[in-house]
Amino acid sequence: CLRVSCLCATRDSSFLNSHQIMAAESFDAEEKAHQLTELELLDRTKVDVMKASLESQLKQTNSYDSRNNLALLRLYQFYPVLTEREVVENVLMKALTNLPEPCFQHALCLLPPAIQTKPTIAFLIKLERLLQTGQFKAFWEHRSAPEVDDARAMLERVAGFDDHVRRFIVTALTITYQRISVDQMKLALNLSDVRDLCAECNWTLEEDTVLFPENKENAPQARDFSSKISLEDMAGVIRTL
């Protein structure tokens, strides 16, 4: 038993050490990119530094640097020969995980039409449109049965991609509705059960309905349609009669 315990402890220690090393390397890559000046971001010799930062972001769920990622696409504008489709895909996928921030649209503005029509890029553009227009069921259908070869593997390059999307969907639902059926919730989040999520978020579950807390977005707003018109405002109209 002692030998087994020691072996397990050694394995755990090795795992932790390797994990710590990877985390340190990722932080170092992102820090190097963060230290680049605005002028250096336009230097083609710094492209490897920016790509290393992007690769680090892909491996971490809570890491995102729009400055670095958009600078990469801007550099590709100046030096098209440097353009790598996989890098463009990675930038767009990380931007999807940052919704509802407009990073995805900012990135698209830096891409020429010829790149936007590439199958994998067009696939990501459609995913973003489905999310932004609230077509969540269609999003998951398109995401799970892609028309593009290897699209599923492409999305798996981003750690926690689905979880980030679900956070965006939850935000959209809670600012839109005060209540939603459990079945609709399951479809929107592509989950077979939402009870744990409801408990975690302190939502009320009443039979087949989820109740969201009232907030300033989903609460009914009183509107005042009355307006005051002064004599000075009417003077110009009166003169034309």
Side-chain angles (χ1 to χ4, degrees):
C1 293
L2 179 61
R3 290 180 61 187
V4 172
S5 299
C6 291
L7 179 60
C8 292
T10 302
R11 288 177 177 174
D12 290 344
S13 176
S14 299
F15 171 77
L16 289 174
N17 289 337
S18 62
H19 182 72
Q20 290 169 346
I21 292 172
M22 289 176 61
E25 290 175 346
S26 296
F27 175 79
D28 185 53
E30 293 181 47
E31 185 62 24
K32 286 180 180 178
H34 184 71
Q35 292 175 356
L36 294 177
T37 65
E38 294 299 324
L39 189 59
E40 286 177 320
L41 289 174
L42 299 176
D43 184 352
R44 63 184 298 172
T45 65
K46 304 297 183 182
V47 68
D48 288 339
V49 175
M50 290 185 275
K51 285 167 56 179
S53 173
L54 177 58
E55 286 294 328
S56 171
Q57 295 170 51
L58 295 177
K59 300 173 184 177
Q60 303 181 70
T61 58
N62 296 317
S63 177
Y64 184 68
D65 187 349
S66 61
R67 175 178 177 266
N68 175 84
N69 301 348
L70 294 178
L72 258 175
L73 300 186
R74 196 174 300 113
L75 198 62
Y76 289 167
Q77 280 188 317
F78 293 122
Y79 306 102
V81 69
L82 298 178
T83 303
E84 297 180 47
R85 190 183 65 182
E86 183 173 318
V87 172
V88 176
E89 294 168 353
N90 292 342
V91 169
L92 292 178
M93 288 188 293
K94 282 301 292 185
L96 278 177
T97 67
N98 201 43
L99 289 174
E101 296 300 320
C103 304
F104 192 93
Q105 289 300 320
H106 292 171
L108 280 187
C109 291
L110 297 173
L111 297 178
I115 291 182
Q116 294 189 30
T117 55
K118 297 292 184 183
T120 53
I121 306 302
F123 170 77
L124 294 173
I125 292 174
K126 183 174 181 179
L127 286 183
E128 192 264 352
R129 179 174 58 80
L130 292 172
L131 286 174
Q132 293 284 34
T133 55
Q135 301 180 69
F136 303 132
K137 180 175 179 290
F139 166 84
W140 293 111
E141 290 173 348
H142 189 59
R143 185 250 184 274
S144 61
E147 302 169 357
V148 182
D149 292 339
D150 300 326
R152 187 180 293 113
M154 175 181 68
L155 293 174
E156 290 174 356
R157 296 203 299 259
V158 183
F161 179 83
D162 288 349
D163 289 338
H164 280 286
V165 169
R166 288 190 176 99
R167 290 193 190 102
F168 168 73
I169 294 174
V170 164
T171 300
L173 294 177
T174 55
I175 66 176
T176 305
Y177 304 105
Q178 288 188 346
R179 60 177 60 221
I180 186 174
S181 73
V182 170
D183 289 339
Q184 287 178 312
M185 189 80 169
K186 290 178 180 178
L187 288 175
L189 296 174
N190 194 38
L191 293 174
S192 59
D193 190 357
V194 296
R195 286 175 295 183
D196 290 342
L197 179 62
C198 289
E200 181 182 346
C201 297
N202 294 318
W203 298 332
T204 302
L205 187 58
E206 292 185 354
E207 296 182 358
D208 61 346
T209 303
V210 179
L211 306 181
F212 299 132
E214 185 176 298
N215 55 63
K216 64 180 182 179
E217 284 85 8
N218 69 12
Q221 302 293 324
R223 296 185 180 182
D224 183 8
F225 293 99
S226 63
S227 60
K228 296 180 180 180
I229 302 176
S230 66
L231 184 60
E232 290 81 3
D233 295 330
M234 293 297 297
V237 178
I238 294 173
R239 283 196 295 267
T240 61
L241 298 178

